[in-house]
Amino acid sequence: MSFTSLTDTYELANGVRIPIIGFGTWQTPDGDVAYQSTIDALAAGYRHIDTAAVYGNEASIGRAIKDANVPRETLFVTSKLWNDAHSYEGAKQALEDSLGRLQLDYLDLYLIHWPNPVNYREDWEAANADAWRAMEEAYASGKVRAIGISNFQPHHFEALLKTAKVTPHVNQLHVNPSDLEEEAVAFNDAHDTLTEAYSPLGTGTMLEVPEIQAVATKYSKTPAQIILRWQLQHGFLPLPKSIHQDRIVSNTEVFDFELTDADVKALDALHGVGRLHTNPDETTF
C-alpha cells in the first residue's frame, strides 16, 4: 500500500473512507491537556480523532474540534459504547450522551468497546446483540456513518453475526509488534472488517525494545515512526496517542520511507516483548 499523507484513507466495507492514522486519546486527561493535544493534532494534520465515553475526555475534545474550525466533513470522529450500557436503550442513550459531550450531530464511527463486561458476563451475547441493534438503527438513520467493535475475539465476533444485519466495519484491537493478535486479525480480514490498532506503541513499552531501536537507527527514524510504519505496511490503522506537541508531529512523519520485507518480518518475530492483549472474558470491568 502506497500512502503519502495523514489524509490518505482506507475504504470500509460500506464505502466510507477513514484516514489511515488516527489520533488516540486513551489516558489523555480531561480538561486543558485533552483540549490542547487535540488542537495540536488537528494543527499537525490529523483528521481522525479516536475517543470513548470511558476516557472521560469527550467534552474537551469536542471543544477543541469546535475551536479548531476544521470543516466537519473533513473530520473522522470515533467514540465507543462503555460497559455499563450493553442494552438496546442503554446504547441509544449512550450514543446521545457522547454526541452531546462532543457537540456533534453525528459520529463517523461508533464501537462496542468490550465484548464481555463483567456485569453482563452471564448473558454477554444477548447484551451485545441488543446494543448492536441500537447501533444498527443509528447507522440506518445517519447518526453514525459506520459501526464496529473493539477487543472482540473471533468467538465474540461470530456470536454477534448470529443476529447482526450489518457486519462490523471495524474491529479495534491491541496489535503491535509484541502482539499480532493473528486469529482476530484473520477473522477481521475474512469479514472485510478493518483492523484498527489502539496503543500501537504498546503504551510506550515498545519504544525501548533494542531490536526496534536498531531498525530505527538503520532508517534514521524514531522507534515510534518505525512501529507506525510497520502498522501501515500490515494494513492496520494505528491510533498513536501523545500529549506532547513534538511527538504528535513526529508521529505523522512516516511517509518518506518503507520497511523492507525482512525488517517487517523481524518486527513480527518480537512476540511477547511487551504487554499482550487483555483477555476480554477475564476482565474485571
Side-chain angles (χ1 to χ4, degrees), residues 6 23-24 35 42 58 173 182 186 229 242 282:
L6 283 177
F23 182 63
Y35 174 83
L42 293 171
E58 287 175 313
L173 299 172
E182 290 171 306
R229 185 72 210 185
S242 181
E282 296 177 356

Side-chain angles (χ1 to χ4, degrees), residues 81 85-88 112 115 117 120 123-133 160:
L81 175 74
H86 280 218
S87 65
Y88 175 74
I112 297 179
Y120 294 92
D123 206 8
W124 61 266
E125 186 173 335
N128 285 343
D130 287 344
W132 193 251
R133 181 162 56 92
L160 189 67

